[in-house]
Amino acid sequence: MILEVEGRKIGHDWRGDGLPVVLLHAFPLDRRMWDDQVLAFSDHFRVITIDQRGFGDSHLTRPDYTLGDAAHDVASVLDSLDVKAAAILGLSMGGYVALALFRLYPDRFRALVLADTRAAADTDEGRARRFASAERAEREGAAIIADDMVKLALAEDTLARRKDVVRTMREIIESNQPAGIAAAQRAMADREDSTGLLAEIKCPTLVIVGAEDTLSPVSEAEQMRARIPGATLRVIEGAGHMTNMEQPAEFNEAVIEFLNPIAGTVE
Ligand code: MLT
């Protein structure tokens, strides 16, 4: 489905009934990375997937957007679907957008799932790496970025044995526009530090991380869990950074088990 906001298209889909559950994708993928979750979750919840600006079916009209703008897009989609509050699940970059959304609209959260992500802003070195990667995407195209990301993000065993996961990840990345990839790198480089925000999160929160995630390691996830009141942590074995694609059964079971009691409560 396409929502038009001020002449800009936002790609999104929804399926199922009940508790609205919003899935926010990682960099530099799009809402297709959630195919396994849409199938599994839509038996229990109303699953909503949204493409961030410049990815999938969502337009990039300005190259200099912020993750706050991306969070406003999520709110616009929720408004269009008449959803006041939802469980928000963000993986990696999706987690940064989830925290930006919490900063703007804390009342729209019935629950939060932060997967393979971090609350801290980038170091100067990290920002410099992002600006270089943005230029590389613009100069050399999405396939080069796919090469880098597949190697960095997936666990060794996934790389060696799960050719389907490697292929799907690569196909999604390669189908995305270099301009969208570059703009997202720059938006992430400029994101605010959300560490101080974590203590203010009062909704039920689950932190998920792949045991072999080197991009946002278990230590980061453990620190977020410790700062968010009442949060729980689930470490998924046999997964790197893309827990939902690498170990979908475990990922889905953890999320469904966490959200089921919330789905039974009145908004
Ligand atoms: C992602 O998977 O979204 C990226 O690893 C996020 C990042 O580059 O920090």
Side-chain angles (χ1 to χ4, degrees):
M1 284 164 58
I2 302 290
L3 170 70
E4 242 181 88
V5 179
E6 292 160 6
R8 197 167 40 76
K9 291 185 167 43
I10 304 178
H12 65 291
D13 283 306
W14 68 269
R15 182 162 162 176
D17 291 310
L19 175 72
V21 180
V22 178
L23 306 181
L24 301 173
H25 65 81
F27 169 89
L29 291 107
D30 59 46
R31 71 191 197 273
R32 289 172 291 169
M33 74 170 240
W34 298 117
D35 280 356
D36 279 320
Q37 284 65 47
V38 170
L39 275 183
F41 295 174
S42 57
D43 283 344
H44 304 259
F45 317 117
R46 183 181 187 190
V47 193
I48 301 165
T49 54
I50 304 176
D51 285 336
Q52 187 169 310
R53 291 181 187 204
F55 293 101
D57 295 322
S58 289
H59 277 177
L60 179 76
T61 43
R62 283 176 27 217
D64 59 341
Y65 77 93
T66 66
L67 292 188
D69 296 327
H72 278 296
D73 290 345
V74 174
S76 297
V77 171
L78 294 184
D79 290 343
S80 77
L81 298 175
D82 212 15
V83 172
K84 288 193 192 69
I88 309 288
L89 187 166
L91 192 143
S92 198
M93 178 176 73
Y96 309 156
V97 176
L99 290 171
L101 184 70
F102 184 82
R103 181 176 282 111
L104 293 166
Y105 302 108
D107 294 344
R108 300 199 82 147
F109 284 69
R110 287 183 65 186
L112 172 64
V113 183
L114 293 170
D116 301 280
T117 192
R118 66 179 72 226
D122 286 346
T123 59
D124 287 344
E125 227 186 322
R127 296 183 79 231
R129 263 200 307 274
R130 285 198 198 280
F131 293 129
S133 154
E135 280 175 24
R136 189 151 183 247
E138 287 166 335
R139 213 175 40 240
E140 297 177 45
I144 290 291
I145 305 298
D147 285 346
D148 291 348
M149 280 309 292
V150 162
K151 278 188 229 120
L152 285 171
L154 298 176
E156 260 178 44
D157 201 58
T158 311
L159 273 173
R161 287 185 232 280
R162 300 286 312 280
K163 297 297 172 204
D164 53 330
V165 174
V166 176
R167 191 174 48 245
T168 303
M169 187 173 173
R170 186 180 282 282
E171 277 172 9
I172 298 177
I173 297 174
E174 288 184 2
S175 72
N176 278 318
Q177 298 299 318
I181 294 173
Q185 279 289 36
R186 294 181 178 120
M188 288 192 284
D190 288 338
R191 75 187 188 279
E192 284 182 57
D193 193 303
S194 296
T195 310
L197 201 64
L198 298 179
E200 292 171 35
I201 298 175
K202 300 293 188 284
C203 63
T205 300
L206 172 66
V207 180
I208 296 179
V209 67
E212 295 169 52
D213 187 343
T214 52
L215 293 173
S216 42
V218 175
S219 56
E220 290 277 350
E222 174 53 42
Q223 282 173 35
M224 288 195 297
R225 186 213 55 81
R227 286 173 192 268
I228 302 172
T232 50
L233 172 66
R234 178 82 171 250
V235 179
I236 297 196
E237 298 299 327
H241 190 58
M242 302 303 300
T243 43
N244 72 306
M245 296 176 79
E246 297 182 70
Q247 295 294 344
E250 287 75 5
F251 184 94
N252 296 349
E253 186 242 337
V255 174
I256 291 169
E257 189 180 285
F258 168 66
L259 291 179
N260 258 339
I262 298 160
T265 61
V266 179
E267 193 182 324

